[in-house]
Amino acid sequence: MRMVRWQPGARERLQAAALERFAAQGFDGTTVAEIAATAGLTERTFFRHFADKREVLFSGQDEFERLFVTGIAGSAETDPMAIVAAALEAATGFFPDERRAWSRARQGVIDADPGLQERELLKLSGLAVTMTRGLRERGVDPTAAALAAESGVAVFRVAFATWIAEGEERSLAEVQRAVLAELRSLVR
Amino acid sequence: MRMVRWQPGARERLQAAALERFAAQGFDGTTVAEIAATAGLTERTFFRHFADKREVLFSGQDEFERLFVTGIAGSAETDPMAIVAAALEAATGFFPDERRAWSRARQGVIDADPGLQERELLKLSGLAVTMTRGLRERGVDPTAAALAAESGVAVFRVAFATWIAEGEERSLAEVQRAVLAELRSLVR
């Protein structure tokens, strides 16, 4: 049997170290060796946790999408936008307030790199596709499903940007509810 | 003075030839030489009209965005969603019914190629950014501007997919009005 020494908190230390290096010297200008050294760990330990340095910024995406999917499937609502609101609420579990500083720093790194921006955009587009499918499985007609899903992603995107803005103190759930209310008042 | 022989209709012939080749043998599997030969023109003529073969599918983007920008700037409305509705209406000028068959074939090519899908996604994301900026210049607050712009792009996207669906006969303007009405009834 091969022994794998598990470093407690290694994953979190690597994530913090990566953000620190990316912020200081850019995403492209940072190597995995530097991230590992900054975290006081080996490259081998890095690769036990992440496939590559981009993965540090995008890991957890499956879990994030799953919160939306189970939020849609499990909602007691039948109105499409009410289902979407329930899914948005469920997804805030992924972003507790303790995560705000990390999310803010991560966004700074992404905003500085066109390739990472594209990756992020594709992630959110994939989320809209996933939500559309989930709504259709709930019996929502195709047009309404697509519109409700896209609106939900728009609300998430705007709320998330507000949540990580300097000085914002409301939880993501509170911000999201306010943004959804603003959408309702805008579109009616 | 250098003589440039202008081929009447060359641009349109190249576009039709490119779509025909892309559909038959894939985007990656098609060369500019084949497109030119299919159109009965030279490669040199191709490059007088397009920078590369991808450009055949994405040319006109600036004009398309400009219709939204001038639609937003020129609208007599002050309500953000009414401004967006005016911009959506203005942009339908880019897609007369004569263009439907071409747009449908183009979409088939894009749907078959992940790289082209990304490019299309980035285009629409850029449109949302442009519309948000236009709304802010009209004095709309940042959150409302972002939500109205994203909603507008969602309406365009869903309406466009409906417009190019097999058997659809309504104009894009008609479809878009119906989709916007559906969004209003969903979100209220």
Side-chain angles (χ1 to χ4, degrees):
Chain A
M1 200 182 117
R2 186 164 151 266
M3 287 285 287
V4 174
R5 221 166 7 131
W6 191 258
Q7 300 270 7
R11 187 180 178 84
E12 291 68 28
R13 277 160 65 196
L14 287 163
Q15 286 181 315
L19 269 197
E20 186 188 321
R21 301 303 343 134
F22 293 160
Q25 57 202 66
F27 178 77
D28 281 339
T30 301
T31 65
V32 166
E34 288 169 320
I35 295 169
T38 302
L41 296 166
T42 63
E43 280 192 71
R44 193 171 160 156
T45 301
F46 179 94
F47 288 116
R48 210 173 283 145
H49 290 278
F50 303 103
D52 54 35
K53 63 179 178 172
R54 205 171 70 161
E55 174 80 6
V56 179
L57 298 171
F58 291 97
S59 75
Q61 189 188 335
D62 291 351
E63 187 194 339
F64 171 64
E65 274 205 25
R66 202 173 318 117
L67 290 173
F68 280 95
V69 170
T70 55
I72 288 174
S75 167
E77 306 284 348
T78 54
D79 170 76
M81 277 308 290
I83 299 175
V84 166
L88 285 168
E89 200 77 29
T92 61
F94 196 71
F95 296 103
D97 281 348
E98 307 87 81
R99 197 169 183 148
R100 196 192 309 240
W102 151 267
S103 293
R104 183 184 292 146
R106 174 186 176 279
Q107 196 65 45
V109 170
I110 288 176
D111 289 347
D113 185 291
L116 297 175
Q117 286 171 41
E118 287 190 20
R119 180 72 179 67
E120 183 79 347
L121 207 59
L122 291 172
K123 187 181 89 173
L124 290 172
S125 156
L127 176 62
V129 171
T130 301
M131 289 175 74
T132 301
R133 196 182 310 126
L135 288 165
R136 293 195 60 178
E137 281 165 10
R138 292 283 315 262
V140 177
D141 87 76
T143 302
L147 284 173
E150 300 260 6
S151 301
V153 172
V155 166
F156 171 77
R157 193 199 298 262
V158 171
F160 186 80
T162 303
W163 181 64
I164 61 171
E166 217 55 67
E168 177 60 54
E169 295 193 341
R170 290 170 298 172
S171 69
L172 180 59
E174 284 175 88
V175 176
Q176 242 178 206
R177 274 177 233 127
V179 171
L180 185 57
E182 179 147 6
L183 178 68
R184 289 190 195 279
S185 100
L186 261 179
V187 167
R188 83 173 158 224
Chain B
M1 200 181 116
R2 185 163 150 268
M3 286 286 288
V4 175
R5 218 164 13 130
W6 191 258
Q7 300 269 8
R11 187 181 177 84
E12 291 67 29
R13 276 159 63 195
L14 288 164
Q15 287 180 315
L19 270 198
E20 184 187 322
R21 301 301 347 135
F22 293 160
Q25 59 201 66
F27 178 77
D28 282 338
T30 301
T31 65
V32 167
E34 289 169 319
I35 295 169
T38 303
L41 296 165
T42 63
E43 279 191 72
R44 193 173 161 155
T45 301
F46 178 94
F47 287 116
R48 209 173 281 145
H49 290 277
F50 303 102
D52 55 36
K53 64 179 177 174
R54 206 172 68 161
E55 173 80 6
V56 179
L57 298 171
F58 291 97
S59 76
Q61 189 188 338
D62 291 351
E63 187 194 339
F64 171 63
E65 274 207 25
R66 203 173 317 118
L67 290 173
F68 280 95
V69 170
T70 57
I72 288 174
S75 167
E77 306 285 347
T78 54
D79 170 76
M81 279 307 289
I83 298 174
V84 166
L88 284 169
E89 199 77 32
T92 60
F94 197 71
F95 296 104
D97 280 347
E98 307 88 80
R99 197 169 183 147
R100 192 189 317 236
W102 152 268
S103 293
R104 182 184 294 146
R106 174 186 176 277
Q107 197 64 45
V109 170
I110 288 177
D111 290 347
D113 184 292
L116 296 175
Q117 285 172 40
E118 287 190 21
R119 179 73 179 65
E120 183 80 345
L121 207 59
L122 292 172
K123 187 180 91 174
L124 289 172
S125 157
L127 176 62
V129 170
T130 300
M131 288 175 73
T132 301
R133 195 182 309 127
L135 288 164
R136 293 195 60 177
E137 282 165 8
R138 292 283 314 261
V140 177
D141 87 78
T143 302
L147 283 173
E150 300 260 6
S151 301
V153 172
V155 167
F156 171 76
R157 194 199 296 262
V158 171
F160 187 80
T162 304
W163 181 64
I164 61 172
E166 216 56 67
E168 177 60 56
E169 295 195 340
R170 291 170 297 170
S171 68
L172 180 59
E174 283 176 90
V175 176
Q176 244 180 201
R177 274 177 233 129
V179 172
L180 185 57
E182 178 147 7
L183 178 68
R184 290 190 193 280
S185 101
L186 263 179
V187 167
R188 79 161 163 236

